[in-house]
Amino acid sequence: MSAATGTRAGLTTRISQAAGRAGDVFRGWPWWLQVVALYCGSRLAGAFIFMAAALHQGPNPWFPAKPDYWNFVNIWDARWYGEIVINGYPSELPTDDSGNVQENAWAFYPLFPALARGLGAITGLSPAASLTLVAMLSGVGAALVAYALFRRKAAHAAALWGVVFFATFPVSAILQVPYAEPLTLLLLAAALLLVVRRRYLWAMPVVLLMCLSRPVGVPFAAMVGLLLIYRLIQRLRRAASMASAPGGHTSRELAGLAALTAVSGASALIWPAAAWAATGDIQAYTKTETVWRGHDLVPFKPWFDTGVQLFGPVLGVMAPFIFAGLFALLLFSPPVVQLGVELRLWCACYMGYLLMFLHPQTSTFRMLLPLFPLALSAALLSRSRAYRGTVLVMFVLLQIVWIVWLWAWAQLPGGGDYPP
């Protein structure tokens, strides 16, 4: 063996030994420190991708070319949240000369900017800095609560890998920018954890706050409503068969679940009602939301329109049905079944909500984040290190694609750009 070959072999051995020692140290940490370390590592990787993409950012509507990291992450909807922190919401809907409602702050829910405004008042931080800090802290909290939720369904290693997949998902870079997604995911994970633990009354204030962060109240109310029906049927079947098997809901738990269903449904209407009260227009929220899509809201229709544009008049009409069928099959796959009825119902209701109300576009990728329980299913699919490592690498590479393609601004031939 040559000296060079021996040197390389020795170096490889030392690296392997160092990695093994680092792994032993990591495994000795408490679970929460492991989760925080992995999450912060994923956000550091995201920061490097953002900084590299910023070096190639050309002229844009917000700042000069090649911005620094902090300017680069404070664009798109982050500017709307900053505007809300400073000026609040308009008392009248802005319109053009033809009376058509224009883009305005009522499309953005109030909890995230309210927390940033409070933090800024206490610390003196600028709106952009306050929003960024709230988002980053919320992201750490979301990872911790997601792990606690995953541990209800899987062992420590699988739950930890579920958090890794959640934190490195191709659109997870949104968790470190001044968007409301991290806060919503924190509250959603907490609400789901409380539902899984049957702490329905404790879930009520969490759901109320969640419904003031982003529009996820409707699918959550549908989920707990269907869960109530499911538990009632279970109760009736047990009563009919005179079964005494453990695990059924008590009358008190069913009452709590019914109350949570009512609270969730009412909470989903709070923000549209607030927009109505402030502007005097009962359709203030829906008019504002539909400005970005360019036409009125017609349930399901945008998916068929997009399908026809992408795949033609025949396959395009079939595409939404094929997509919905494939997702339904996914929910009955063994790794997803292991999530339990609550999390599967949430995924089904949220995807149904997107199919009913969402206008499919490039922002749709970001809107898939509330399906984060499926990250645990991805981890449960195989224990193979090769499989899990491959998924991790693929996710990080797709983060580069998402940031360069959608976050970085490049004007389209017809004007504007694809939104992230």
Side-chain angles (χ1 to χ4, degrees):
M1 182 173 62
S2 66
T5 301
T7 300
R8 287 195 296 270
L11 180 60
T12 301
T13 300
R14 288 193 293 273
I15 292 174
S16 178
Q17 291 172 345
R21 288 193 296 270
D24 291 338
V25 171
F26 178 80
R27 284 187 287 271
W29 291 352
W31 69 266
W32 59 268
L33 188 56
Q34 293 181 22
V35 171
V36 170
L38 290 171
Y39 182 82
C40 290
S42 69
R43 298 283 63 80
L44 182 61
F48 284 133
I49 298 172
F50 271 118
M51 287 186 285
L55 293 176
H56 301 279
Q57 174 65 70
N60 59 86
W62 301 287
F63 40 65
K66 297 185 178 181
D68 61 24
Y69 172 83
W70 301 108
N71 274 318
F72 193 52
V73 298
N74 275 276
I75 59 176
W76 298 105
D77 290 355
R79 293 303 177 105
W80 280 107
Y81 285 117
E83 172 68 18
I84 294 167
V85 170
I86 297 171
N87 298 317
Y89 294 90
S91 58
E92 295 183 4
L93 295 179
T95 58
D96 60 16
D97 294 338
S98 301
N100 300 310
V101 174
Q102 301 298 289
E103 296 177 359
N104 67 87
W106 283 108
F108 303 92
Y109 281 54
L111 182 60
F112 179 50
L115 291 175
R117 185 185 297 115
L119 179 63
I122 295 171
T123 62
L125 292 172
S126 67
S130 298
L131 288 164
T132 303
L133 185 57
V134 170
M136 288 185 170
L137 292 177
S138 298
V140 174
L144 290 167
V145 180
Y147 171 86
L149 177 62
F150 293 169
R151 279 294 279 124
R152 305 286 298 188
K153 305 296 179 180
H156 168 72
L160 209 57
W161 271 104
V163 171
V164 170
F165 290 165
F166 158 72
T168 57
F169 190 68
V171 296
S172 65
I174 205 71
L175 300 177
Q176 63 197 83
V177 305
Y179 271 48
E181 272 78 0
L183 178 62
T184 302
L185 290 175
L186 168 60
L187 295 168
L188 173 61
L192 290 173
L193 177 60
L194 290 168
V195 169
V196 169
R197 296 178 60 190
R198 302 185 184 182
R199 301 292 191 266
Y200 302 124
L201 298 182
W202 285 100
M204 291 180 186
V206 178
V207 171
L208 174 61
L209 292 174
M210 181 183 71
C211 291
L212 293 175
S213 64
R214 276 192 60 79
V216 293
V218 170
F220 193 89
M223 183 270 288
V224 291
L226 290 174
L227 182 62
L228 174 61
I229 295 172
Y230 176 78
R231 296 305 186 191
L232 284 171
I233 293 174
Q234 275 189 325
R235 179 74 177 268
L236 292 173
R237 285 178 175 174
R238 280 191 170 89
S241 62
M242 303 298 291
S244 58
H249 272 49
T250 64
S251 298
R252 183 175 181 179
E253 287 173 336
L254 288 173
L257 183 53
L260 177 60
T261 302
V263 168
S264 300
S267 298
L269 300 175
I270 289 178
W271 189 237
W276 175 18
T279 64
D281 188 338
I282 192 173
Q283 295 182 306
Y285 174 73
T286 53
K287 285 180 179 179
T288 298
E289 276 286 355
T290 54
V291 169
W292 272 267
R293 65 180 67 196
H295 53 75
D296 293 336
L297 174 63
V298 180
F300 300 110
K301 184 176 181 293
W303 287 88
F304 292 98
D305 292 341
T306 302
V308 170
Q309 291 175 3
L310 294 176
F311 306 113
V314 178
L315 185 58
V317 173
M318 297 171 58
F321 293 106
I322 295 172
F323 174 77
L326 291 174
F327 189 79
L329 288 176
L330 174 68
L331 293 179
F332 286 94
S333 64
V336 179
V337 170
Q338 194 169 333
L339 295 179
V341 62
E342 295 91 351
L343 299 186
R344 290 170 68 207
L345 270 177
W346 162 250
C347 292
C349 290
Y350 184 71
M351 183 55 72
Y353 170 78
L354 293 184
L355 289 172
M356 184 175 292
F357 295 111
L358 179 68
H359 174 66
Q361 53 175 312
T362 49
S363 295
T364 303
F365 300 116
R366 171 169 56 90
M367 310 243 176
L368 297 177
L369 273 176
L371 295 172
F372 76 92
L374 296 178
L376 177 59
S377 297
L380 293 172
L381 182 61
S382 173
R383 295 183 180 181
S384 166
R385 291 184 179 180
Y387 159 75
R388 289 172 172 175
T390 300
V391 173
L392 173 60
V393 171
M394 180 186 70
F395 278 0
V396 174
L397 292 176
L398 288 175
Q399 277 191 55
I400 299 174
V401 173
W402 186 83
I403 291 173
V404 172
W405 176 38
L406 293 180
W407 189 264
W409 194 88
Q411 184 168 322
L412 296 171
D417 188 18
Y418 294 122

